[in-house]
Amino acid sequence: MIDDRFATWLAALELRHFADLQFAEVTRALRALSSTYVERRGRLAERGAFDSAGKRAAYALYYSPLHYLTVQHIAEALEVPPVTHLLDVGCGAGAAGAAWAARGSRSPLVTGLDAHPWALTEAAFTYRSFNLTADLRRGHAARLTIPRSVNGVVAGWVLNELDAAARLTLLDTLRTVAAAGGRVLIIEPISTRVSPWWDAWVRGFEGTRSRADEWRFRVELPDLLQRLDHAAGMRHDQLKARSLYLY
């Protein structure tokens, strides 16, 4: 499922982020970034994952393409349709929004929302790489106002970074989108330790048109991701995630 647009984007990411950093520097930063995600997730609320050039490069070169491929596989499996205006909540580097938006023959408007200025800059680069028209907004996921024209929302790997009160606020917002006929795709890590609130969220949408799934896609990663994976001592021969889809 690696198409020409993805390959071109990945090549552009290499040129962009290896311009000032060596492979070994990015690898060291990737190990530290992985530790932040696994052991010190509290820092993610302040986007501690982006607090150095190495970590930013590691996120853009490694996690962002992995997120793209994961969302691409999930959207294909769920037959998620194209939309005309997609909101990418907590967009990070824009991978989740790009993966959904790239499904259709006619590209939607994408609104990317994130609290971190670097993330918005990187998301703008991602959206441009996929020839998407984008509107970038700085803001917190729990305080978002959904544009009236939005008929699709993707929230990829962001809910686990919110506190309980913020997640509840976002839950109500997404329920409103779904009730109005919009499509909502939520993706989170498969680990229950990372997202112990997941089952309660799924129950929150009982009685609506929704489905919850766990996914394990066996993939052969592009060369860059394989090299980073091996050098950092990680293993991603499977893409793992859980999703909640409102339709």
Side-chain angles (χ1 to χ4, degrees), residues 198 202 210-215 242-245:
W198 181 261
V202 171
S210 63
R211 57 176 287 178
D213 296 277
E214 291 189 359
W215 307 97
R242 58 175 67 193
S243 68
L244 176 61
Y245 179 43

Side-chain angles (χ1 to χ4, degrees), residues 52-112:
S52 74
K55 287 183 182 178
R56 292 191 291 271
Y59 180 88
L61 288 164
Y62 184 75
Y63 281 109
S64 189
L66 285 179
H67 289 170
Y68 179 98
L69 292 172
T70 302
V71 174
Q72 183 187 48
H73 278 76
I74 291 173
E76 180 73 20
L78 292 174
E79 299 182 344
V80 174
V83 294
T84 56
H85 189 175
L86 178 65
L87 176 62
D88 191 351
V89 178
C91 63
W100 184 341
R103 283 181 55 73
S105 57
R106 297 182 62 183
S107 298
L109 170 65
V110 181
T111 296

Side-chain angles (χ1 to χ4, degrees), residues 12-161:
L13 287 175
E14 287 194 69
L15 291 174
R16 179 178 174 85
H17 292 286
F18 284 128
D20 299 312
L21 294 167
Q22 298 297 313
F23 186 85
E25 294 176 286
V26 174
T27 300
R28 286 195 298 270
L30 180 56
R31 293 192 195 101
L33 185 59
S34 176
S35 176
T36 298
Y37 272 96
V38 174
E39 299 170 9
R40 298 191 292 276
R41 299 195 66 84
R43 297 195 63 208
L44 294 175
E46 287 73 43
R47 285 300 201 193
F50 300 156
D51 62 5
S52 74
K55 287 183 182 178
R56 292 191 291 271
Y59 180 88
L61 288 164
Y62 184 75
Y63 281 109
S64 189
L66 285 179
H67 289 170
Y68 179 98
L69 292 172
T70 302
V71 174
Q72 183 187 48
H73 278 76
I74 291 173
E76 180 73 20
L78 292 174
E79 299 182 344
V80 174
V83 294
T84 56
H85 189 175
L86 178 65
L87 176 62
D88 191 351
V89 178
C91 63
W100 184 341
R103 283 181 55 73
S105 57
R106 297 182 62 183
S107 298
L109 170 65
V110 181
T111 296
L113 176 81
D114 203 284
H116 199 286
W118 174 83
L120 295 175
T121 299
E122 196 66 23
F125 178 80
T126 297
Y127 298 143
R128 284 196 306 271
S129 298
F130 286 89
N131 296 316
L132 299 171
T133 301
D135 170 30
L136 283 301
R137 301 185 183 188
R138 187 175 181 184
H140 193 279
R143 295 188 291 273
L144 68 90
T145 300
I146 306 263
R148 301 182 89 179
S149 58
V150 164
N151 57 351
V153 179
V154 61
W157 295 272
V158 64
L159 298 179
N160 63 81
E161 300 177 13

Side-chain angles (χ1 to χ4, degrees), residues 185-247:
L185 180 60
I186 301 163
I187 307 101
E188 286 294 320
I190 208 164
S191 169
T192 54
R193 183 167 69 89
V194 171
S195 49
W197 42 266
W198 181 261
D199 289 342
W201 259 69
V202 171
R203 289 194 297 271
F205 287 98
E206 287 179 353
T208 68
R209 293 182 58 182
S210 63
R211 57 176 287 178
D213 296 277
E214 291 189 359
W215 307 97
R216 291 173 176 82
F217 301 107
R218 188 164 294 279
V219 295
E220 182 175 351
L221 296 178
D223 178 68
L224 172 63
L225 298 187
Q226 287 188 37
R227 288 188 288 120
L228 287 169
D229 210 42
H230 178 74
M234 294 190 280
R235 180 181 176 184
H236 280 91
D237 57 340
Q238 281 190 337
L239 300 175
K240 300 177 184 179
R242 58 175 67 193
S243 68
L244 176 61
Y245 179 43
L246 318 176
Y247 56 94

